[in-house]
Amino acid sequence: KQKLLTVEKLLKAFDPKHLLNKGYSILLEEKTAAVIHSIRQVKRNQPARLLLSDGELLITINEIK
């Protein structure tokens, strides 16, 4: 039982949604919902989704630095 509880804690720690509660966000392609990992995956004026702990924002990429 203890081993199962340990595994459960590990799974929760690595759950991306758990990280959102710590203030992180996940940037997704607007149409496919694929995670954007690099600025090379986006273009100026491209719509995107920003996943937060309590919902999601529809955004537009204005500038790439």
Side-chain angles (χ1 to χ4, degrees):
K1 186 175 181 177
Q2 184 62 36
K3 207 173 196 181
L4 188 58
L5 289 173
T6 302
V7 170
E8 181 182 20
K9 285 181 185 179
L10 282 172
L11 287 172
K12 284 182 180 178
F14 289 106
D15 180 1
K17 295 205 179 211
H18 179 73
L19 291 174
L20 299 178
N21 290 326
K22 293 183 176 187
Y24 291 93
S25 61
I26 300 173
L27 185 62
L28 306 168
E29 289 185 7
E30 198 256 339
K31 292 180 182 175
T32 65
V35 175
I36 297 172
H37 298 279
S38 168
I39 61 170
R40 287 177 256 140
Q41 292 177 265
V42 296
K43 296 178 183 165
R44 201 164 174 254
N45 298 317
Q46 175 182 338
R49 293 174 185 260
L50 191 60
L51 188 59
L52 303 169
S53 65
D54 61 347
E56 122 182 357
L57 301 172
L58 298 177
I59 64 168
T60 301
I61 307 298
N62 294 322
E63 187 175 342
I64 301 170
K65 292 185 178 184

Coordinates of all heavy atoms in Angstrom, one line a residue:
K1 N 0.8 -1.2 0.0 CA 0.0 0.0 0.0 C 0.9 1.3 0.0 O 0.6 2.2 -0.7 CB -0.9 0.0 1.2 CG -1.9 1.1 1.2 CD -2.9 1.0 2.4 CE -3.9 2.1 2.4 NZ -4.9 2.0 3.4
Q2 N 2.0 1.2 0.8 CA 2.9 2.4 0.8 C 3.5 2.6 -0.5 O 3.7 3.8 -0.9 CB 3.9 2.1 1.9 CG 4.9 3.3 2.1 CD 4.1 4.6 2.6 OE1 3.2 4.5 3.3 NE2 4.6 5.7 2.1
K3 N 3.9 1.5 -1.2 CA 4.5 1.7 -2.5 C 3.5 2.3 -3.5 O 3.9 3.2 -4.3 CB 4.9 0.3 -3.0 CG 6.0 0.3 -4.0 CD 6.5 -1.2 -4.2 CE 7.8 -1.2 -4.9 NZ 8.3 -2.5 -5.2
L4 N 2.3 2.0 -3.4 CA 1.3 2.5 -4.3 C 1.1 4.0 -4.0 O 0.9 4.8 -5.0 CB -0.1 1.8 -4.1 CG -1.2 2.1 -5.1 CD1 -0.8 1.9 -6.5 CD2 -2.4 1.3 -4.8
L5 N 1.1 4.4 -2.8 CA 1.0 5.8 -2.4 C 2.2 6.6 -2.9 O 2.0 7.8 -3.4 CB 0.8 6.0 -0.9 CG -0.5 5.5 -0.3 CD1 -0.4 5.6 1.2 CD2 -1.6 6.4 -0.8
T6 N 3.3 6.0 -2.9 CA 4.5 6.7 -3.4 C 4.4 6.9 -4.9 O 4.8 8.0 -5.4 CB 5.8 5.9 -3.0 OG1 5.9 5.7 -1.6 CG2 7.1 6.5 -3.5
V7 N 4.0 5.9 -5.6 CA 3.8 6.0 -7.0 C 2.8 7.1 -7.4 O 2.9 7.9 -8.3 CB 3.5 4.6 -7.7 CG1 3.1 4.8 -9.1 CG2 4.6 3.7 -7.5
E8 N 1.7 7.1 -6.6 CA 0.6 8.1 -6.8 C 1.2 9.5 -6.7 O 0.9 10.4 -7.5 CB -0.5 7.9 -5.9 CG -1.7 8.8 -6.0 CD -2.8 8.6 -5.0 OE1 -2.5 8.0 -4.0 OE2 -3.9 9.1 -5.3
K9 N 2.0 9.7 -5.6 CA 2.6 11.0 -5.4 C 3.5 11.4 -6.6 O 3.5 12.6 -7.0 CB 3.4 11.1 -4.1 CG 2.5 11.1 -2.9 CD 3.4 11.1 -1.6 CE 2.5 11.1 -0.4 NZ 3.3 11.1 0.8
L10 N 4.3 10.5 -7.1 CA 5.2 10.8 -8.2 C 4.4 11.1 -9.4 O 4.7 12.1 -10.2 CB 6.1 9.5 -8.5 CG 7.3 9.3 -7.6 CD1 7.9 8.0 -7.8 CD2 8.2 10.5 -7.7
L11 N 3.3 10.4 -9.7 CA 2.5 10.7 -10.9 C 1.9 12.1 -10.8 O 1.8 12.8 -11.8 CB 1.4 9.6 -11.0 CG 1.8 8.3 -11.5 CD1 0.7 7.3 -11.5 CD2 2.4 8.4 -12.9
K12 N 1.4 12.5 -9.6 CA 0.8 13.8 -9.4 C 1.9 14.9 -9.6 O 1.6 15.9 -10.1 CB 0.2 13.9 -8.0 CG -1.1 13.2 -7.9 CD -1.8 13.4 -6.6 CE -3.1 12.7 -6.5 NZ -3.7 12.8 -5.2
A13 N 3.1 14.6 -9.1 CA 4.2 15.6 -9.2 C 4.6 15.9 -10.7 O 4.9 17.0 -11.0 CB 5.4 15.1 -8.5
F14 N 4.4 14.9 -11.5 CA 4.8 15.0 -12.9 C 3.6 15.4 -13.8 O 3.8 15.5 -15.0 CB 5.5 13.8 -13.5 CG 6.9 13.6 -12.9 CD1 7.2 12.7 -11.9 CD2 7.9 14.5 -13.3 CE1 8.5 12.6 -11.4 CE2 9.2 14.4 -12.8 CZ 9.5 13.4 -11.8
D15 N 2.4 15.5 -13.3 CA 1.3 15.8 -14.0 C 1.4 17.3 -14.5 O 1.5 18.2 -13.7 CB 0.0 15.6 -13.2 CG -1.3 16.0 -13.9 OD1 -1.2 16.3 -15.1 OD2 -2.3 15.9 -13.2
P16 N 1.3 17.5 -15.8 CA 1.4 18.9 -16.3 C 0.4 19.8 -15.7 O 0.7 21.0 -15.4 CB 1.2 18.8 -17.8 CG 1.5 17.4 -18.1 CD 1.1 16.6 -16.9
K17 N -0.8 19.4 -15.4 CA -1.8 20.2 -14.8 C -1.4 20.6 -13.3 O -1.7 21.7 -12.9 CB -3.1 19.6 -14.8 CG -3.6 19.4 -16.2 CD -5.1 19.3 -16.3 CE -5.4 19.2 -17.8 NZ -6.6 19.7 -18.2
H18 N -0.6 19.8 -12.7 CA -0.2 20.1 -11.3 C 0.8 21.3 -11.4 O 0.8 22.2 -10.5 CB 0.5 18.9 -10.7 CG 1.1 19.1 -9.3 ND1 0.3 19.3 -8.2 CD2 2.3 19.3 -8.9 CE1 1.0 19.5 -7.2 NE2 2.3 19.5 -7.5
L19 N 1.6 21.3 -12.4 CA 2.6 22.4 -12.6 C 1.9 23.7 -12.9 O 2.4 24.8 -12.5 CB 3.5 22.1 -13.8 CG 4.5 21.0 -13.6 CD1 5.3 20.7 -14.9 CD2 5.5 21.3 -12.4
L20 N 0.7 23.7 -13.5 CA -0.1 24.9 -13.7 C -0.5 25.6 -12.4 O -0.5 26.8 -12.3 CB -1.3 24.6 -14.6 CG -1.1 24.0 -16.0 CD1 -2.4 23.7 -16.6 CD2 -0.2 24.9 -16.8
N21 N -0.7 24.8 -11.4 CA -1.0 25.4 -10.1 C 0.1 26.1 -9.4 O 0.0 26.8 -8.5 CB -1.5 24.3 -9.1 CG -2.9 23.7 -9.6 OD1 -3.7 24.5 -10.1 ND2 -3.1 22.5 -9.4
K22 N 1.3 25.8 -9.9 CA 2.5 26.5 -9.4 C 2.8 27.8 -10.2 O 3.9 28.4 -9.9 CB 3.7 25.6 -9.5 CG 3.6 24.4 -8.6 CD 4.8 23.5 -8.6 CE 4.7 22.4 -7.6 NZ 6.0 21.6 -7.6
G23 N 2.0 28.1 -11.2 CA 2.2 29.4 -11.9 C 2.7 29.2 -13.3 O 3.0 30.2 -14.0
Y24 N 2.9 28.0 -13.7 CA 3.4 27.7 -15.1 C 2.2 27.8 -16.0 O 1.0 27.7 -15.6 CB 4.1 26.4 -15.2 CG 5.4 26.4 -14.5 CD1 5.5 25.9 -13.1 CD2 6.6 26.8 -15.1 CE1 6.7 25.9 -12.5 CE2 7.8 26.7 -14.5 CZ 7.9 26.3 -13.1 OH 9.1 26.3 -12.5
S25 N 2.5 27.8 -17.3 CA 1.4 27.7 -18.3 C 1.9 26.9 -19.5 O 3.1 26.6 -19.6 CB 1.1 29.1 -18.9 OG 2.2 29.8 -19.5
I26 N 1.0 26.4 -20.3 CA 1.4 25.6 -21.5 C 0.8 26.3 -22.7 O -0.4 26.6 -22.8 CB 0.8 24.2 -21.3 CG1 1.3 23.5 -20.0 CG2 1.1 23.3 -22.6 CD1 0.6 22.2 -19.7
L27 N 1.7 26.5 -23.7 CA 1.3 27.1 -24.9 C 1.0 26.1 -26.0 O 1.8 25.2 -26.2 CB 2.4 28.0 -25.4 CG 2.2 28.9 -26.7 CD1 1.0 29.8 -26.4 CD2 3.4 29.6 -27.1
L28 N -0.2 26.2 -26.6 CA -0.7 25.2 -27.5 C -1.0 25.8 -28.8 O -1.4 27.0 -28.9 CB -2.0 24.5 -27.0 CG -1.9 23.9 -25.6 CD1 -3.3 23.5 -25.1 CD2 -1.1 22.7 -25.6
E29 N -0.9 25.1 -29.9 CA -1.4 25.5 -31.2 C -2.9 25.6 -31.1 O -3.5 24.8 -30.5 CB -1.0 24.5 -32.3 CG 0.5 24.5 -32.6 CD 0.9 23.6 -33.8 OE1 -0.1 23.1 -34.4 OE2 2.1 23.5 -34.0
E30 N -3.4 26.7 -31.7 CA -4.8 27.0 -31.6 C -5.7 25.9 -32.2 O -6.7 25.4 -31.6 CB -5.1 28.3 -32.2 CG -6.4 28.9 -31.8 CD -7.5 28.8 -32.9 OE1 -7.2 28.6 -34.0 OE2 -8.7 28.8 -32.5
K31 N -5.4 25.4 -33.4 CA -6.2 24.4 -34.1 C -6.0 23.0 -33.6 O -6.9 22.2 -33.4 CB -6.0 24.5 -35.6 CG -6.6 25.8 -36.1 CD -6.4 25.9 -37.6 CE -6.9 27.3 -38.1 NZ -6.6 27.5 -39.5
T32 N -4.7 22.6 -33.5 CA -4.4 21.2 -33.2 C -4.2 20.9 -31.8 O -4.2 19.7 -31.4 CB -3.1 20.7 -34.0 OG1 -2.0 21.5 -33.4 CG2 -3.2 21.0 -35.5
A33 N -4.1 21.9 -30.9 CA -3.8 21.7 -29.5 C -2.5 21.0 -29.2 O -2.3 20.5 -28.1 CB -5.0 21.0 -28.8
A34 N -1.6 21.1 -30.2 CA -0.2 20.5 -30.0 C 0.6 21.5 -29.1 O 0.5 22.7 -29.3 CB 0.5 20.2 -31.3
V35 N 1.4 21.0 -28.3 CA 2.3 21.8 -27.4 C 3.3 22.5 -28.3 O 4.0 21.9 -29.1 CB 2.9 21.0 -26.3 CG1 3.9 21.9 -25.5 CG2 1.9 20.4 -25.4
I36 N 3.5 23.8 -28.0 CA 4.5 24.6 -28.7 C 5.8 24.6 -27.8 O 5.7 25.1 -26.7 CB 4.0 26.0 -29.0 CG1 2.9 26.0 -30.0 CG2 5.2 26.9 -29.6 CD1 2.2 27.3 -30.2
H37 N 6.9 24.0 -28.3 CA 8.1 23.9 -27.5 C 9.1 24.9 -27.9 O 10.1 25.1 -27.1 CB 8.7 22.5 -27.8 CG 7.9 21.4 -27.4 ND1 7.8 20.9 -26.1 CD2 7.0 20.6 -28.1 CE1 7.0 19.9 -26.0 NE2 6.5 19.7 -27.2
S38 N 9.0 25.6 -29.1 CA 10.1 26.5 -29.5 C 9.5 27.6 -30.3 O 8.4 27.5 -30.9 CB 11.0 25.7 -30.5 OG 11.8 26.5 -31.2
I39 N 10.2 28.8 -30.3 CA 9.7 29.9 -31.1 C 9.7 29.6 -32.6 O 9.1 30.3 -33.4 CB 10.5 31.2 -30.8 CG1 12.0 31.0 -31.2 CG2 10.4 31.6 -29.3 CD1 12.8 32.3 -31.1
R40 N 10.5 28.6 -33.0 CA 10.5 28.2 -34.4 C 9.2 27.6 -34.9 O 8.9 27.4 -36.0 CB 11.6 27.2 -34.6 CG 13.0 27.9 -34.6 CD 14.1 26.9 -34.8 NE 14.7 26.8 -33.4 CZ 15.1 25.7 -32.9 NH1 15.1 24.6 -33.6 NH2 15.6 25.6 -31.7
Q41 N 8.3 27.3 -33.9 CA 7.0 26.7 -34.2 C 5.9 27.7 -34.4 O 4.8 27.3 -34.7 CB 6.6 25.7 -33.1 CG 7.5 24.5 -33.0 CD 7.0 23.6 -31.9 OE1 7.6 23.7 -30.8 NE2 6.1 22.8 -32.1
V42 N 6.2 29.0 -34.2 CA 5.2 30.0 -34.3 C 5.5 31.1 -35.3 O 6.7 31.2 -35.6 CB 4.8 30.6 -32.9 CG1 4.3 29.6 -32.0 CG2 6.1 31.3 -32.3
K43 N 4.5 31.8 -35.7 CA 4.7 32.9 -36.6 C 4.0 34.1 -36.0 O 3.1 34.0 -35.3 CB 4.1 32.6 -38.0 CG 4.8 31.5 -38.7 CD 4.2 31.2 -40.0 CE 4.9 30.0 -40.7 NZ 4.2 29.4 -41.8
R44 N 4.4 35.3 -36.4 CA 3.8 36.5 -36.0 C 2.3 36.5 -36.4 O 2.0 36.0 -37.5 CB 4.5 37.7 -36.6 CG 4.3 38.9 -35.9 CD 5.4 39.9 -36.4 NE 5.1 41.2 -35.8 CZ 4.6 42.2 -36.4 NH1 4.4 42.2 -37.7 NH2 4.3 43.3 -35.8
N45 N 1.5 37.0 -35.6 CA 0.0 37.0 -35.8 C -0.7 35.7 -35.8 O -1.8 35.6 -36.1 CB -0.3 37.8 -37.1 CG 0.1 39.2 -37.0 OD1 0.0 39.9 -36.0 ND2 0.7 39.7 -38.1
Q46 N 0.0 34.7 -35.3 CA -0.6 33.3 -35.3 C -1.4 33.2 -34.0 O -1.0 33.6 -32.9 CB 0.5 32.3 -35.2 CG 0.0 30.9 -35.0 CD 1.2 29.9 -34.9 OE1 2.3 30.1 -35.4 NE2 0.9 28.7 -34.3
P47 N -2.6 32.7 -34.1 CA -3.4 32.4 -32.9 C -2.9 31.2 -32.1 O -2.3 30.3 -32.7 CB -4.8 32.2 -33.4 CG -4.6 31.7 -34.8 CD -3.4 32.3 -35.3
A48 N -3.1 31.3 -30.8 CA -2.6 30.2 -30.0 C -3.5 30.1 -28.7 O -4.3 31.0 -28.5 CB -1.1 30.4 -29.6
R49 N -3.3 29.0 -28.0 CA -4.0 28.8 -26.7 C -3.0 28.8 -25.6 O -2.0 28.1 -25.7 CB -4.8 27.6 -26.7 CG -6.0 27.5 -27.7 CD -6.6 26.2 -27.8 NE -7.6 26.2 -28.8 CZ -8.9 26.3 -28.6 NH1 -9.4 26.4 -27.4 NH2 -9.8 26.3 -29.6
L50 N -3.3 29.4 -24.5 CA -2.5 29.4 -23.3 C -3.2 28.8 -22.2 O -4.2 29.3 -21.7 CB -2.1 30.9 -22.9 CG -1.0 31.0 -21.9 CD1 0.3 30.4 -22.4 CD2 -0.7 32.4 -21.6
L51 N -2.8 27.6 -21.8 CA -3.4 26.8 -20.8 C -2.9 27.2 -19.4 O -1.7 27.2 -19.1 CB -3.2 25.3 -21.0 CG -4.0 24.3 -20.2 CD1 -5.5 24.5 -20.3 CD2 -3.5 22.9 -20.5
L52 N -3.8 27.6 -18.5 CA -3.5 28.1 -17.2 C -4.2 27.1 -16.2 O -5.0 26.3 -16.6 CB -4.0 29.5 -16.9 CG -3.4 30.5 -17.9 CD1 -4.1 31.9 -17.8 CD2 -1.9 30.7 -17.7
S53 N -4.0 27.3 -14.9 CA -4.5 26.4 -13.9 C -6.1 26.4 -13.9 O -6.7 25.5 -13.5 CB -4.0 26.7 -12.5 OG -4.4 28.0 -12.1
D54 N -6.7 27.6 -14.2 CA -8.1 27.7 -14.0 C -8.8 27.9 -15.4 O -10.0 28.3 -15.4 CB -8.5 28.9 -13.1 CG -7.9 30.2 -13.5 OD1 -7.1 30.2 -14.5 OD2 -8.4 31.2 -12.9
G55 N -8.1 27.7 -16.5 CA -8.8 27.8 -17.8 C -7.8 28.0 -18.9 O -6.6 27.7 -18.7
E56 N -8.3 28.6 -20.0 CA -7.4 28.8 -21.1 C -7.7 30.1 -21.8 O -8.8 30.6 -21.7 CB -7.6 27.5 -22.0 CG -8.0 27.7 -23.3 CD -8.2 26.4 -24.1 OE1 -7.9 25.3 -23.6 OE2 -8.6 26.5 -25.2
L57 N -6.6 30.7 -22.3 CA -6.8 32.0 -23.0 C -6.5 31.8 -24.5 O -5.6 31.0 -24.9 CB -5.7 33.0 -22.5 CG -5.7 33.3 -21.0 CD1 -4.5 34.1 -20.6 CD2 -7.0 34.0 -20.7
L58 N -7.3 32.4 -25.3 CA -7.0 32.5 -26.7 C -6.2 33.7 -27.0 O -6.6 34.8 -26.6 CB -8.3 32.5 -27.5 CG -9.2 31.3 -27.4 CD1 -10.5 31.5 -28.2 CD2 -8.5 30.0 -27.8
I59 N -5.0 33.5 -27.5 CA -4.1 34.7 -27.7 C -3.6 34.8 -29.1 O -3.8 33.8 -29.9 CB -2.8 34.5 -26.8 CG1 -2.0 33.3 -27.1 CG2 -3.3 34.5 -25.3 CD1 -0.7 33.2 -26.4
T60 N -2.9 35.9 -29.5 CA -2.3 36.0 -30.7 C -0.8 36.4 -30.5 O -0.5 37.2 -29.7 CB -2.9 37.2 -31.5 OG1 -4.3 36.9 -31.7 CG2 -2.3 37.4 -32.9
I61 N 0.1 35.7 -31.3 CA 1.5 36.0 -31.1 C 1.8 37.3 -31.8 O 1.6 37.4 -33.0 CB 2.4 34.9 -31.8 CG1 2.0 33.5 -31.3 CG2 3.8 35.1 -31.7 CD1 2.2 33.3 -29.8
N62 N 2.2 38.3 -31.1 CA 2.5 39.6 -31.6 C 3.9 39.8 -32.0 O 4.2 40.5 -33.0 CB 2.1 40.7 -30.6 CG 0.6 40.8 -30.4 OD1 -0.2 40.6 -31.3 ND2 0.2 41.0 -29.2
E63 N 4.8 39.3 -31.3 CA 6.2 39.5 -31.5 C 7.0 38.3 -31.1 O 6.7 37.6 -30.1 CB 6.7 40.7 -30.7 CG 8.1 41.2 -30.9 CD 8.5 42.4 -30.2 OE1 7.6 43.1 -29.7 OE2 9.7 42.7 -30.0
I64 N 8.1 38.0 -31.8 CA 9.0 36.9 -31.5 C 10.4 37.4 -31.3 O 10.9 38.1 -32.2 CB 8.9 35.8 -32.7 CG1 7.5 35.3 -32.8 CG2 9.9 34.7 -32.4 CD1 7.3 34.5 -34.1
K65 N 11.0 37.2 -30.2 CA 12.3 37.7 -29.9 C 13.3 36.5 -29.8 O 13.0 35.5 -29.4 CB 12.3 38.4 -28.6 CG 11.5 39.7 -28.6 CD 11.7 40.4 -27.3 CE 10.9 41.7 -27.3 NZ 11.1 42.5 -26.1

